[in-house]
Structures are given as structure tokens and as C-alpha cells.
Amino acid sequence: MNQFNAEGDGVSPPLIFDDLPVALFRSHPDGALFAVNKAFRELTGYVDDAALRKLYTSDLYANLDERSEKLALLFSQGFVRNAPFTLRRFDGSVINTFFNVNLVYNADGQVQFLEGAIHEADENEWANNQLQHRLALETFAADLSARL
């Protein structure tokens, strides 16, 4: 996994996860990516270090409304599992994917960063999971409404 330093002026040596066939990432709470592996670069098409230093997770969403829904779920639960989203690649093409993401907290209980994995979906997996995820979002919204 390549890690970009805060100034964006270099890349540290690859970590143990660089050769895993699953796209892995870490981002700051604002969405700025600071670590990705080789599979992430291949899946998203962002292979250039300069482009990766400027990349925010919001840049990967073909539909920003999806991002808002996922963030609400993430920050209420601390994790999201098998969430469908349409990923926009560097070249502008889109692919159906799923992601798993966790919030990682510091010693003070504040969100330090997000870490997750993304994989491309096949047609059947996409259709089945989108329905399940939509039901989970509706349940979440109903629970939230009941609390207000």
C-alpha cells in the first residue's frame, strides 16, 4: 500500500498489502486519500501518484447522493458492509462496485481515518445486494425518524 505524506511530496515504500487482489484504501475524514494499494490503482484507473495525491473519495462516486447516504450510515454505525456504489474511474467510465469501510478512532475517541476495501460486482451480485442495501437504508431512515 502506498502512503502519501501530508505534503504530497513523496511515497513511502510499499506495505505488505500492496499485492493483495482487493482494492484497499485509507482516507482522512474529509475524504482525502492517503494510502492505496496496487489493486485500488487498477480498479479506479488512478495510477499516477500526482493524481492520487489530489483524489478525494467523493471523486469516485458517479452519484454524489449515494455518498451522502453511505456517510450517514457510516458515521452512525462506525462501519458499512457490502454497500453498492457506482464508481467513476479516472477515464470517466463507470463500474458497479461494493465497498466495506470502517471508522478508525484515535485514543481520544475521535475519527482518525477511514479504511476500506472495494471490489467490482458481477450482474447478479449487484442486483441482489442493491435491494438488500436499499432495505437497510430504509430501516436506518425509519429508526432515525423515530428518534427525532
Side-chain angles (χ1 to χ4, degrees), residues 27-32 56-75 84-85 99 114:
S27 73
H28 296 288
D30 69 358
Y56 281 74
T57 54
S58 59
D59 299 326
L60 299 173
Y61 281 83
N63 177 354
L64 285 178
D65 290 339
E66 276 185 308
R67 182 173 188 268
S68 298
E69 291 173 353
K70 306 299 190 290
L71 283 176
L73 195 57
L74 174 63
F75 281 94
F85 88 102
F99 72 89
L114 289 65

Side-chain angles (χ1 to χ4, degrees), residues 4-146:
F4 311 103
N5 66 20
E7 293 77 37
D9 64 355
V11 177
S12 65
L15 299 176
I16 192 167
F17 301 114
D18 202 41
D19 289 325
L20 282 177
V22 176
L24 302 174
F25 69 91
R26 285 187 175 160
S27 73
H28 296 288
D30 69 358
L33 288 161
F34 68 87
V36 300
N37 69 348
K38 190 185 318 181
F40 180 93
R41 292 169 178 262
E42 292 168 0
L43 182 70
T44 64
Y46 285 87
V47 295
D48 178 62
D49 286 343
L52 280 166
R53 283 188 197 99
K54 298 175 188 171
L55 186 64
Y56 281 74
T57 54
S58 59
D59 299 326
L60 299 173
Y61 281 83
N63 177 354
L64 285 178
D65 290 339
E66 276 185 308
R67 182 173 188 268
S68 298
E69 291 173 353
K70 306 299 190 290
L71 283 176
L73 195 57
L74 174 63
F75 281 94
S76 72
Q77 297 181 160
F79 65 91
V80 175
R81 297 287 178 266
N82 292 321
F85 88 102
T86 305
L87 183 143
R88 181 174 310 282
R89 301 182 83 237
F90 179 75
D91 65 5
S93 63
V94 294
I95 57 173
N96 294 328
T97 65
F98 294 106
F99 72 89
N100 295 291
V101 65
N102 295 316
L103 296 178
V104 178
Y105 300 91
N106 64 19
D108 297 327
Q110 300 296 312
V111 175
Q112 185 174 0
F113 60 88
L114 289 65
E115 63 182 0
I118 304 171
H119 76 275
E120 189 169 0
D122 66 34
E123 236 177 88
N124 289 334
E125 182 183 28
W126 180 253
N128 290 334
N129 192 287
Q130 262 208 313
L131 177 60
Q132 291 173 1
H133 191 70
R134 180 61 47 205
L135 291 172
L137 282 174
E138 288 172 5
T139 301
F140 169 71
D143 290 346
L144 187 59
S145 293

